[in-house]
Amino acid sequence: MSVGVQSEDEGKSTGSIKLLAFGALGIVFGDIGTSPLYTLKTVLFLSGEAPSPELILGLLSLIFWTMVIVTSLKYAMFAMRIDNRGEGGILALMSLLVNKKQSRPLVIFAGLFGAALIYGDGAITPAISVLSALEGINMILPESKPYIVPLTIVILVSLFAIQAIGTSRIGRLFGPIMALWFIVIAALGIWGIAQHPAVLYALNPLYGIRFLFSEGFSSFLVLGGVFLCVTGAEALYADMGHFGKRPIWLAWFGLVFPSLLLNYAGQAALILSGADVTQNIFYRLCPSWMLIPLVLLATLATIIASQAIISGAFSMTRQAILLGWLPRLRIKQTSAESYGQIYIGSINWMLMIVTVFLTIFFKSSDNLAAAYGIAVSFTMIMTTGLLFVSMREIWRWSLPISLLVAGIFFIVDLSFLIANMAKILDGGYIPLLFAVVVYGVMLVWHHGVKAASCIINEKTLPVLDFLEEVTRNEIPRVPGTAIFLTRSGGTPAVMRWHVMRNGSLHAQVLSLNIFIDNIPRVAHHERLKITKIAPDFWHVIAHYGFIEQPDVAAILDYQEVRELELDMENVTYYMGHENIIRREGKQRLPAWQRHIFAFMVRNGVHVTDYYHVPSDRVIEISRQVPV
C-alpha cells in the first residue's frame, strides 16, 4: 500500500519496466553489489577462528538471512510500499509524516540524523570499494602493494573531479557494466559451489543461530562484519522515485539477490574445500587467466558504486535545502535530459577530502571495514522508527501488529548497531563525528532562519493598511512593474524599505512568495495561487515540491500570470539581504549559533542565482537583522 498519487511505475509496459530495471543496476545496486569484495574476508577476520565447517556454514547462513530480512523484507517489501507521491528515502518519509502533524520533533530528528549519517557512509563507500577492488592486483603482482593506496587516491580524485561536467553520457554504460558484473560474480559463485555443494546447507537459519550462541559475545560481534553485506540496502528505498517499485523489485529478486547469494556461497564453498584464506577470497574464486579482467571489472563496478553514492548525496542535499534544513548552495544542472543530473561543488569537494583522508588514514579495505557500517546501522534504526509511525498512521495497522513487525526489524537493526559499536575506537567514530557536524549545521540553519523570519515579520503591516499610507502620504506611483520576493503574506518588508528610502512605488506590484511543500512534486495546475489584494496589486504564492527547483522566470511565464497583463518590459525585482548581527537584550540564538548562521548566510548562494532571477533587473536592499 502506498500513499499520495499513483505510483510512477503503474501502468508501464513490461518492456519499459525491464528497461528501468536494467538502468537501476548501475544506480541502485552499485554499493550492495560490490560488497562481496570485502564482506566475507572481513567476517572471517572478526571471527578470529580457523575456518571450520561449522564456522563457515554459520557465517554464510548469517549473511544469507541478513540479506533476506533487511534488504528483501524490510526495504523491498515494506519500506518501498510507503512512498511520498512516488518518492522514497528517509527525508521523503520524514516529510510525509511531518505533513500529517506539524510538530513532530522525534520524527524530524530521525529523518535529519538519518540523512546526516548517510553523508558519513557516502564518504567511506568510495574508499573501501575502490581499495578492495584494486587489492586484487596484489595477487597478480605482490610487489605492487605499496602502490595500491596512491592508485586508489588517483582514481577517487579523478572521479570527484569529473562530477562538474556531469556523467549523463558515461552513465549509459553503468547498467551494462553492472549487469556483466552480476553475471560474472554469479558464474564464479556457481563454480565455487561445485567444489563443495554441501555449502548450501547454510540456507538453514539454524546454522547462523547456532554460531551466534557458540562463543558468547565474541560471536555476536561478528555481526559487525556480516552487516557489510547490506550496507547499500537504503539505496533501494532512496532511489525509488527514479525508477519505481517494480523495476527495482525485478532487478533485485531477478538478478542482484541471486547473484550475491551464489557468490557468497561460492566463496564459502571454496574455503570449505581448503582454499587459502590469507588472501582476498573473492579473487580466489577466479581462474588465474581471468584475474586481470576481473580486477578491471571490479574496479569499474566500484567506481560506479561510488558514483551512485555521490549522486545520491547531491540529490539529498537539494532536498534538505528546499525543505529549509541547509543553506542555499550552488546547484548546477549537468544534463538537460535528466533533472536528477546535478552537481553541488561544496558537497563534492567535502566528500572528496574526507574520502581521500580515510583512504590515507586506513590504508587498506580491511582496516577501513572497522569504520564501515556503523553510520548505516544508525540510519537503519531511524528508518525502522519512521516505518513504525507509518504503519500506524498510513496503513492504519493496530498497535500489536505494528509493534510485532517493526519490533522484529528493530531487534535486527539494534543487534547490528551494538555489534558495530565495537568499531568506534577503531575508526567508527569518524563517520559519526561527520554525521553530528552535518546534523548540527542543519539545526543551526533551521533555527537561524526561523529566528530571522520572526524578527523581520514582527512588525508586518497588512497590505491594505500599507496602501492607505501610500495614498495618504501621496507617494507617487511610477510606471513599470515591481516584483517583491517575500516570505510572508503581509506587506513585504523589502517593499516598505523601498518606499521609505526611494519615496515611490511602481504602478503595478506583485508580491511573490515561494513555498516548499512537504511533497516531492506539485502538479502544474496547483503551482500558483494568485490573490488580487487591490487594483494593480497581486499576491502570488508559488508552490514547489522538495525535489523541484524554484524558477522565478518560469513562474512569470504561467498563463495565469500572463493574464494579469503586467508591464514585463519594465519589470524590476526587489529582494532583501539580511546581515545577521547581535541582538541587544535577550537573544534569540546563542552566540555560537549566531556566528555559524551568519557565516552560512554570507557564503550561501545569492537568491538571484538560486531562483533564476534576471540579475540585470534586480535591486537588493540590505537590512541588519538582530538575532
Side-chain angles (χ1 to χ4, degrees), residues 215-510:
E215 299 293 334
F217 192 64
S218 61
S219 295
F220 179 79
L221 291 179
V222 174
L223 288 177
V226 172
F227 184 73
L228 298 178
C229 73
V230 292
T231 51
E234 189 83 23
L236 275 72
Y237 189 35
D239 290 321
M240 183 173 65
H242 295 292
F243 299 98
K245 299 181 184 71
R246 285 191 288 173
I248 292 179
W249 285 338
L250 177 61
W252 171 250
F253 291 108
L255 178 62
V256 179
F257 181 46
S259 298
L260 293 175
L261 177 59
L262 288 171
N263 192 266
Y264 283 123
Q267 291 185 48
L270 205 61
I271 299 173
L272 289 176
S273 64
D276 180 15
V277 296
T278 58
Q279 293 179 311
N280 191 325
I281 193 63
F282 172 82
Y283 286 111
R284 297 286 296 178
L285 276 175
C286 179
S288 57
W289 61 268
M290 190 182 165
L291 195 54
I292 293 178
L294 183 61
V295 171
L296 293 175
L297 180 60
T299 303
L300 288 175
T302 55
I303 289 173
I304 291 171
S306 303
Q307 174 61 52
I309 288 290
I310 297 168
S311 298
F314 293 161
S315 297
M316 190 170 65
T317 301
R318 177 167 59 185
Q319 291 182 20
I321 291 171
L322 290 171
L323 288 169
W325 293 101
L326 283 177
R328 290 186 296 268
L329 301 175
R330 189 174 301 280
I331 300 175
K332 176 184 175 183
Q333 193 74 35
T334 58
S335 171
E337 301 173 0
S338 174
Y339 178 73
Q341 288 279 340
I342 60 174
Y343 169 74
I344 304 178
S346 53
I347 300 299
N348 184 66
W349 301 123
M350 177 186 70
L351 285 177
M352 188 198 76
I353 291 171
V354 176
T355 300
V356 171
F357 166 77
L358 291 172
T359 303
I360 297 172
F361 184 78
F362 287 100
K363 296 184 175 60
S364 72
S365 61
D366 290 336
N367 296 334
L368 197 52
Y372 198 36
I374 190 166
V376 187
S377 57
F378 260 115
T379 301
M380 288 185 175
I381 286 274
M382 303 300 172
T383 302
T384 297
L386 296 182
L387 285 178
F388 171 73
V389 178
S390 301
M391 290 172 187
R392 296 283 293 142
E393 298 184 3
I394 297 174
W395 288 350
R396 304 293 182 186
W397 284 7
S398 65
L399 181 60
I401 294 178
S402 300
L403 284 173
L404 175 63
V405 176
I408 292 173
F409 294 145
F410 180 78
I411 291 171
V412 173
D413 291 340
L414 184 62
S415 299
F416 284 123
L417 177 61
I418 294 173
N420 276 304
M421 292 294 283
K423 301 178 180 181
I424 285 184
L425 296 180
D426 294 325
Y429 63 90
I430 295 177
L432 290 183
L433 283 177
F434 193 46
V436 168
V437 170
V438 173
Y439 178 69
V441 168
M442 289 179 171
L443 287 185
V444 170
W445 177 257
H446 186 73
H447 291 160
V449 169
K450 190 175 180 179
S453 297
C454 288
I455 295 294
I456 293 172
N457 295 326
E458 274 180 350
K459 299 179 181 180
T460 298
L461 188 67
V463 174
L464 292 178
D465 292 349
F466 174 75
L467 293 177
E468 286 181 7
E469 284 187 9
V470 169
T471 302
R472 185 169 58 251
N473 295 329
E474 298 182 348
I475 300 295
R477 305 295 292 266
V478 298
T481 300
I483 298 177
F484 295 90
L485 269 68
T486 178
R487 296 195 190 109
S488 68
T491 303
V494 68
M495 183 165 67
R496 295 179 63 189
W497 304 338
H498 165 65
V499 172
M500 184 187 307
R501 286 167 171 76
N502 299 319
S504 64
L505 186 64
H506 288 70
Q508 294 178 314
V509 176
L510 187 148

Side-chain angles (χ1 to χ4, degrees), residues 500-544:
M500 184 187 307
R501 286 167 171 76
N502 299 319
S504 64
L505 186 64
H506 288 70
Q508 294 178 314
V509 176
L510 187 148
S511 66
L512 176 60
N513 186 344
I514 296 176
F515 189 82
I516 307 300
D517 296 323
N518 282 320
I519 57 176
R521 301 176 187 84
V522 173
H524 184 86
H525 65 278
E526 297 176 346
R527 177 78 68 202
L528 301 181
K529 180 182 178 182
I530 302 177
T531 304
K532 187 172 184 178
I533 307 295
D536 294 322
F537 193 111
W538 299 270
H539 180 61
V540 177
I541 300 178
H543 291 270
Y544 283 87

